[in-house]
Amino acid sequence: MKLSLAIVAFALAIPSATYAQDSTAVSKGEYPNTFSSGSANVSPFTNQSKRFNDWSISAGVGVPLLQSADLTSIKNGNGKNLFGYSAYVSIDKAITHAFGINLQYDRGETRQGWFNTKNAAPDASAVGARTQYDAISILGDINFSNLLRRVDNHSPYRWALHGYAGIGTIAYRAYQKDGSNKQRLMTEVKPFQLGSMFMQAGTGLKFKVNRRIDIEGRLMYVVTGDDEFDGGGDAYSAINKRSEQVSDNFFNATLGVSLKLGKHESHVMWHDPLQEIYYKLDVLANKNQDIEVCKKGDADNDGVCDDWDRQLDTPAGARVDGAGVALDTDLDGVIDLYDKCVTVPGPVENNGCPVATTGPVVETETKLEGIEFDLNSDRILPSNTPILNNAVNYINSSNGSYSVIGATDTRGTDAYNQKLSERRANNVKNYLIKNGVQTGKLQAIGKGEKDLKYPECEPATKCPEWKNRANRRVYFEAK
């Protein structure tokens, strides 16, 4: 029986220990990868970075009552109301705001049967017993008040409902007294043996007195897995045949106090992350918004602040993109404001319209800028497809062949950036071929971080993000 109980208890304990780990990615100065959090701005979790106390010491006293046994401590069982005593002390470690682990030592004495063994037997048939026990156990501690707390509950709290469950080893000495008024040692079990394994589970209600002290009332149910714990003697004795249960179990009601250790103001088990978020939101909502927008103004009056405007002299009336650059839909060098043929490329001297020719258009060199990519990505963005579709028409109308050149910003290693730029160039090349460009007209080349549009962005931290984004690009050059 005890072996099966131990197996079940281990099965419950192992998942708790497995998942109670810190999974925060730690930055080593390397480029983020798929096994990290995706952010380079992470730091190791150390004692210096802790904000809450997570250790405490608890102690308490109580009353054990044998409930499931051949001799019980409860009147409606095989006995009368007999009260023993118990005490416990534990070292408690909080893993999260909702889960912790306790190492606990229990000591006590249960009293059971028809009379207290300190007294004389009332008649010849009466049997009384007492059991002195010592136990060490490891308990999982679940803070249900934090675990089940409503997300819209903004109020603080000083009461918390906890649940406990765990396994351990129990040693005991069971004494019996009968009508002869002679007290005998019936069973003795030593600790740390396979036959001494036991389980206990229960609940506790904690009250936070202050930042250091908690008071808690607990009700635990102890499963000994032993039919001889109640002092009935060996398994085949007359007393142990009175009932069919093979495990003598008891309730243990205790009242205790916890001392929270550490230098911080609060303990993690009393911390509600949602409450902290709501508090910060309230502070932000009540704070004066003294953010100065467009500190440098908008010199060209294009609707884009000069703080992030990449073209500070945009002509009046020209449509611009989010970076303040005048739009040139067909990429012919004539902005849409002055282009008479907005969607068809043409020379500047002809106001952006194509010149009638008897053959295909011939260009010695052309570049397509602005095909930008997200960080650590070679995916063609939906916003770039109009530009690439215009490139398809332009290349098909030309006799020349073109290099599709990929580039990156300066984050990451040289080898990583070289491969990333090649993937970007090949993706664009494949897109053009899929949309009608002859394969022989295109050659994909990756230049990594050696071809920066903004060379001053070395390293990337020297530049605003829009410049780093502009460095992550693909463009065309005529061969």
Side-chain angles (χ1 to χ4, degrees):
M1 175 65 181
K2 287 191 173 183
L3 182 59
S4 61
L5 290 175
I7 293 173
V8 173
F10 276 120
L12 293 174
I14 289 174
S16 300
T18 303
Y19 289 104
Q21 302 179 31
D22 177 20
S23 60
T24 303
V26 178
S27 175
K28 298 180 180 178
E30 301 175 354
Y31 196 82
N33 55 60
T34 55
F35 301 101
S36 74
S37 66
S39 170
N41 298 318
V42 292
S43 58
F45 183 69
T46 63
N47 285 328
Q48 289 72 26
S49 63
K50 287 183 179 179
R51 297 171 49 209
F52 306 102
N53 299 325
D54 55 358
W55 287 96
S56 60
I57 297 176
S58 302
V61 295
V63 177
L65 295 170
L66 264 174
Q67 173 267 338
S68 175
D70 299 283
L71 296 174
T72 67
S73 308
I74 301 173
K75 187 174 182 180
N76 61 354
N78 292 322
K80 58 187 299 185
N81 293 333
L82 297 174
F83 303 100
Y85 65 87
S86 66
Y88 73 89
V89 62
S90 68
I91 300 174
D92 312 327
K93 165 68 174 177
I95 307 300
T96 71
H97 70 293
F99 178 75
I101 295 177
N102 304 341
L103 177 62
Q104 181 168 302
Y105 168 70
D106 291 271
R107 182 180 179 86
E109 178 178 291
T110 64
R111 293 168 182 166
Q112 55 274 353
W114 298 102
F115 66 94
N116 192 325
T117 55
K118 291 183 178 180
N119 304 324
D123 55 64
S125 62
V127 177
R130 64 186 179 94
T131 304
Q132 297 174 338
Y133 66 88
D134 296 270
I136 298 176
S137 57
I138 296 178
L139 300 176
D141 177 3
I142 298 178
N143 185 343
F144 287 111
S145 294
N146 266 340
L147 187 65
L148 304 177
R149 189 166 168 82
R150 285 175 58 99
V151 297
D152 57 348
N153 190 343
H154 293 206
S155 61
Y157 64 102
R158 300 187 72 172
W159 293 91
L161 180 66
H162 287 246
Y164 303 94
I167 62 171
T169 179
I170 187 169
Y172 68 87
R173 295 177 302 279
Y175 298 90
Q176 184 186 116
K177 190 175 185 181
D178 55 21
S180 65
N181 284 319
K182 294 181 180 179
Q183 190 168 230
R184 295 170 294 169
L185 175 64
M186 303 300 294
T187 307
E188 182 175 10
V189 172
K190 300 293 184 180
F192 302 108
Q193 297 177 358
L194 184 60
S196 68
M197 297 290 289
F198 81 104
M199 293 176 57
Q200 61 174 328
T203 186
L205 184 62
K206 278 190 177 183
F207 176 73
K208 180 181 179 182
V209 179
N210 54 42
R211 61 182 289 261
R212 289 294 182 193
I213 302 295
D214 293 341
I215 295 176
E216 180 181 22
R218 288 188 192 177
L219 180 62
M220 303 294 290
Y221 190 70
V222 180
V223 179
T224 67
D226 194 333
D227 196 21
E228 302 175 16
F229 182 85
D230 62 353
D234 63 73
Y236 300 101
S237 67
I239 292 177
N240 278 336
K241 291 180 181 180
R242 291 183 179 182
S243 59
E244 296 181 356
Q245 67 266 16
V246 294
S247 176
D248 296 338
N249 307 332
F250 63 91
F251 288 105
N252 191 16
T254 59
L255 181 63
V257 61
S258 295
L259 175 64
K260 292 168 282 190
L261 308 176
K263 62 182 180 180
H264 302 289
E265 284 296 317
S266 60
H267 192 275
V268 68
M269 277 286 195
W270 287 103
H271 176 66
D272 179 10
L274 289 174
Q275 180 70 15
E276 182 178 12
I277 292 172
Y278 287 132
Y279 170 76
K280 291 182 178 180
L281 290 176
D282 290 341
V283 170
L284 290 175
N286 296 327
K287 187 176 181 180
N288 292 329
Q289 299 296 321
D290 49 2
I291 301 174
E292 187 175 356
V293 181
C294 264
K295 185 176 182 179
K296 295 182 180 179
D298 183 9
D300 52 9
N301 198 31
D302 60 357
V304 179
C305 297
D306 291 350
D307 304 70
W308 52 83
D309 197 333
R310 292 166 59 182
Q311 185 178 0
L312 297 175
D313 56 350
T314 305
R319 296 185 303 152
V320 298
D321 60 17
V325 178
L327 294 179
D328 178 12
T329 302
D330 54 12
L331 300 173
D332 58 2
V334 181
I335 64 174
D336 292 353
L337 178 66
Y338 303 134
D339 200 330
K340 301 299 182 182
C341 301
V342 176
T343 60
V344 181
V348 176
E349 56 271 16
N350 199 38
N351 296 321
C353 289
V355 178
T357 61
T358 57
V361 177
V362 178
E363 286 288 341
T364 58
E365 181 178 357
T366 185
K367 289 185 179 181
L368 298 179
E369 304 287 354
I371 305 176
E372 299 175 351
F373 291 81
D374 288 335
L375 179 64
N376 192 24
S377 173
D378 57 11
R379 184 177 68 91
I380 297 174
L381 300 174
S383 59
N384 286 330
T385 54
I387 298 174
L388 294 178
N389 291 338
N390 287 332
V392 170
N393 297 330
Y394 190 88
I395 294 172
N396 282 339
S397 65
S398 171
N399 287 330
S401 58
Y402 293 82
S403 296
V404 183
I405 301 173
T408 70
D409 61 20
T410 57
R411 282 173 282 200
T413 63
D414 291 346
Y416 179 87
N417 286 334
Q418 178 61 34
K419 293 181 180 179
L420 179 59
S421 65
E422 292 172 0
R423 294 202 307 271
R424 287 172 175 170
N426 279 306
N427 280 356
V428 172
K429 174 186 174 182
N430 293 336
Y431 179 92
L432 298 179
I433 293 173
K434 183 178 179 181
N435 285 273
V437 176
Q438 297 177 7
T439 305
K441 283 191 172 187
L442 301 175
Q443 179 186 7
I445 299 175
K447 292 190 177 181
E449 59 183 67
K450 300 174 183 176
D451 184 20
L452 299 176
K453 185 174 182 179
Y454 293 97
E456 66 270 19
C457 298
E458 173 62 48
T461 52
K462 288 186 176 181
C463 291
E465 182 56 26
W466 67 263
K467 284 190 176 182
N468 288 320
R469 186 175 184 85
N471 284 334
R472 303 192 297 266
R473 70 198 194 284
V474 165
Y475 64 91
F476 297 78
E477 281 188 357
K479 293 184 179 180

